[in-house]
Amino acid sequence: MKDDLAKLIDQIDAARLNRRGFMAGAAAVAGMAGMPRMAFAQTGTPKKGGHLKLGLGGGESSNSLDPALTLSQAPYNVMAHIGEPLVRVHPDNSLDMRVAEELSASPDAKVWTFKIRQGIKFHNGATLTADDVLKTMQRHSDEKATSGALGIMKGIASMRAEGDIFEITLTDANADLPYLMADRHLLIQPGGGMENPADGIMSGPYKIVVNEPGVRHTFERFADYWDDSIGHFDTTEILIINDVTARTSALQSGQVDMANLIDPKIAEFLARAPGVTLAQTQGRGQNVFVMHVDTAPFDNVDLRLALKYAIDRQEMLDKVLRGFGSIGNDIPINAAYPLFDETIPQREFDLEKAAEHYKKSGHDGSPIILRVADTAFPGAVDAAALFQQSALKAGIPLELKREPNDGYWSEVWNKQPFCASYWGGRPTQDQMYATAYISSAEWNDTKMKNDRLDALLMEARAELDQDKRKAQYREMADLVRDEGGLILPMFNDFLDAYSEKVAGWVNNPNGDMMNDQAALKCWMA
């Protein structure tokens, strides 16, 4: 076992630790090459200059420049412009060294050492130091910061900075620790952002010029950025266009050069449109409905099971995603993840079981409110309507409440007890469960608190035997599937589109818009 760990550490040291399971997904994508104008990868020599316009959904007036608080697509792209974490994840799931130029681990994988790249400048001219990294991590570990990364910071026993070294000591071994440091929220800020976390001063390839949340953000290339291989545009602009029809029209008319969250209903049509390329990326994207298990009537496991059996997953996949995805099974993990257990039984649409569990729940028959908005995911309103129709067939009085797009992520998601949502997934199972399912996670949007699941996550982090680790993840999946508040009817492909004016697109299964990095890595054709 020690030999196995030594080999693993050697791979991580070289920043080439690839997660198994992606080859199958890549092969599946490659097999779709016959579809018209589908993007997979463009190569060539990047050119500097030009102005890029992005039309993005998933933005609202309450968005902040505090990276701890980002929770939807548009602010993710804003943060990728201006900030940088210790590491990112390449499309092949190997590590992309950013603020950290080297990393290593102790033989027991409990102590992790990051060598901080020298000469990195913040947008205010200050030099980034290991102490800035330490203070950033301390802020995201503080519950008062309400960081989306809080869950993954659990398990850290201590941290220290000395010279150009930042060191993390864990309570338990975790070979996935470098991947946790790639979390979107963990962008390094001067002094950790302790004094003014929303000032927008970070170390990314672009500086923010205009910040109008929910409307518009503009950026200019940061002249002192350390890596000339990314950040090719002179200036970029993000326009918040939450209406999917308006967003698509803006792309086709040339008002924007890129757009995200393409509606699956028009995806094939858009793929044939002149001057536009559809980028379809298979990965871990999730279209979900989440129930708070600590709030009535969703605190009743039979009611939760009734709703899970009452959803027609195949119908939803066919009619909402138009096949641009795959069937879900009420767990946040699919075959794109390593150590996925293919033997987990698929939950089927079963009106008889739905009615049986609903009756057993003792529910009083009052309307069960499901909140939904277009911004929840492309086709969310249609998906909720299909869910309502199938639930009514089982005698379940599901009632839809359509919410405004602006404010949905700040006022509805993670606050109202039953709503539509999405997840982009995470590079590893550990990070997915740590972000959204352990009891201490800030983004635990089902409010599930299960001591056994918490313990299993810690055990799996330290387990070197891959068969045992797979069994631990299987038990975690069973707990979420059968006891939790997650209804995951379908995994969605990421559907983005871009103009022929743009070159350099490479699909990234870790998120849409090249995992938020389209503006960083593309250039004007």
Side-chain angles (χ1 to χ4, degrees), residues 4 23 67 72-73 86 90 109 115 121 132 143-144 160 188 220 246 271 283 297 300 397 447 465 481-482 497 511 517:
D4 289 340
M23 294 308 294
S72 57
Q73 297 93 336
L86 289 174
H90 283 300
K115 183 179 179 181
K121 296 286 188 181
D132 294 310
E143 293 188 5
K144 294 180 182 178
R160 72 180 186 91
I188 310 306
E220 64 182 15
N300 184 303
K447 312 303 179 187
D465 185 305
R481 178 177 179 270
D482 297 331
Q517 297 170 64

Side-chain angles (χ1 to χ4, degrees), residues 99-115:
V99 171
E101 63 178 351
E102 296 177 13
L103 61 88
S104 59
S106 61
D108 62 359
K110 283 189 176 181
V111 181
W112 288 88
T113 302
F114 297 83
K115 183 179 179 181

Side-chain angles (χ1 to χ4, degrees), residues 331-388:
I331 57 175
I333 307 300
N334 63 3
Y337 286 88
L339 304 182
F340 172 71
D341 191 335
E342 300 86 351
T343 68
I344 299 175
Q346 174 63 51
R347 176 164 283 140
E348 303 291 348
F349 175 49
D350 192 325
L351 289 175
E352 186 175 330
K353 283 187 178 180
E356 177 185 334
H357 281 287
Y358 180 66
K359 181 178 180 181
K360 189 177 178 182
S361 75
H363 186 254
D364 62 9
S366 59
I368 298 172
I369 307 298
L370 169 60
R371 298 170 191 271
V372 65
D374 291 317
T375 195
F377 58 82
V381 175
D382 291 339
L386 290 174
F387 189 9
Q388 180 187 40

Side-chain angles (χ1 to χ4, degrees), residues 195-471:
E195 294 185 6
N196 187 4
D199 62 8
I201 296 174
M202 286 179 257
S203 64
Y206 295 100
K207 294 170 57 176
I208 193 156
V209 178
V210 173
N211 180 47
E212 299 176 2
V215 181
R216 175 173 172 261
H217 310 268
T218 68
F219 312 84
E220 64 182 15
R221 187 192 300 145
F222 178 39
D224 291 330
Y225 183 62
W226 64 273
D227 184 1
D228 191 55
S229 70
I230 63 175
H232 305 298
F233 300 99
D234 290 334
T235 55
T236 68
E237 183 175 4
I238 291 176
L239 299 176
I240 306 304
I241 311 175
N242 285 320
D243 181 84
V244 64
T245 302
R247 190 165 61 248
T248 307
S249 297
L251 177 67
Q252 291 182 282
S253 65
Q255 297 176 62
V256 299
D257 305 305
M258 292 181 174
N260 70 343
L261 301 176
I262 300 302
D263 192 329
K265 289 186 292 187
I266 65 164
E268 290 194 28
F269 166 77
L270 189 63
R272 294 178 172 85
V276 174
T277 297
L278 178 71
Q280 177 190 1
T281 309
Q282 294 180 334
R284 310 175 186 87
Q286 307 161 27
N287 293 163
V288 302
F289 301 99
V290 288
M291 303 173 282
H292 290 183
V293 301
D294 62 354
T295 304
F298 311 105
D299 55 351
N300 184 303
V301 68
D302 280 298
L303 183 76
R304 298 197 296 270
L305 286 171
L307 288 165
K308 291 177 181 183
Y309 279 114
I311 196 163
D312 190 334
R313 300 160 200 273
Q314 188 63 56
E315 180 186 39
M316 201 169 285
L317 177 67
D318 294 341
K319 293 183 178 180
V320 176
L321 291 188
R322 304 298 174 102
F324 288 103
S326 59
I327 293 290
N329 199 20
D330 300 335
I331 57 175
I333 307 300
N334 63 3
Y337 286 88
L339 304 182
F340 172 71
D341 191 335
E342 300 86 351
T343 68
I344 299 175
Q346 174 63 51
R347 176 164 283 140
E348 303 291 348
F349 175 49
D350 192 325
L351 289 175
E352 186 175 330
K353 283 187 178 180
E356 177 185 334
H357 281 287
Y358 180 66
K359 181 178 180 181
K360 189 177 178 182
S361 75
H363 186 254
D364 62 9
S366 59
I368 298 172
I369 307 298
L370 169 60
R371 298 170 191 271
V372 65
D374 291 317
T375 195
F377 58 82
V381 175
D382 291 339
L386 290 174
F387 189 9
Q388 180 187 40
Q389 292 166 14
S390 59
L392 288 174
K393 293 177 183 177
I396 302 172
L398 194 59
E399 182 176 308
L400 307 185
K401 182 173 182 182
R402 190 162 182 174
E403 300 281 359
N405 287 324
D406 191 55
Y408 187 80
W409 298 112
S410 57
E411 302 301 326
V412 178
W413 176 78
N414 217 12
K415 292 185 178 180
Q416 296 296 335
F418 193 22
C419 74
S421 185
Y422 84 100
W423 280 92
R426 294 296 185 271
T428 66
Q429 290 201 44
D430 179 275
Q431 190 176 0
M432 188 68 245
Y433 283 117
T435 301
Y437 294 95
I438 62 171
S439 300
S440 58
E442 181 68 25
W443 281 10
N444 183 341
D445 59 3
T446 61
K447 312 303 179 187
M448 181 179 183
K449 298 186 185 301
N450 186 290
D451 292 340
R452 177 58 181 161
L453 188 146
D454 296 347
L456 281 166
L457 184 67
M458 297 300 109
E459 292 170 11
R461 287 178 173 177
E463 182 56 65
L464 297 180
D465 185 305
Q466 296 303 293
D467 290 335
K468 290 182 179 178
R469 200 179 193 203
K470 183 174 182 177

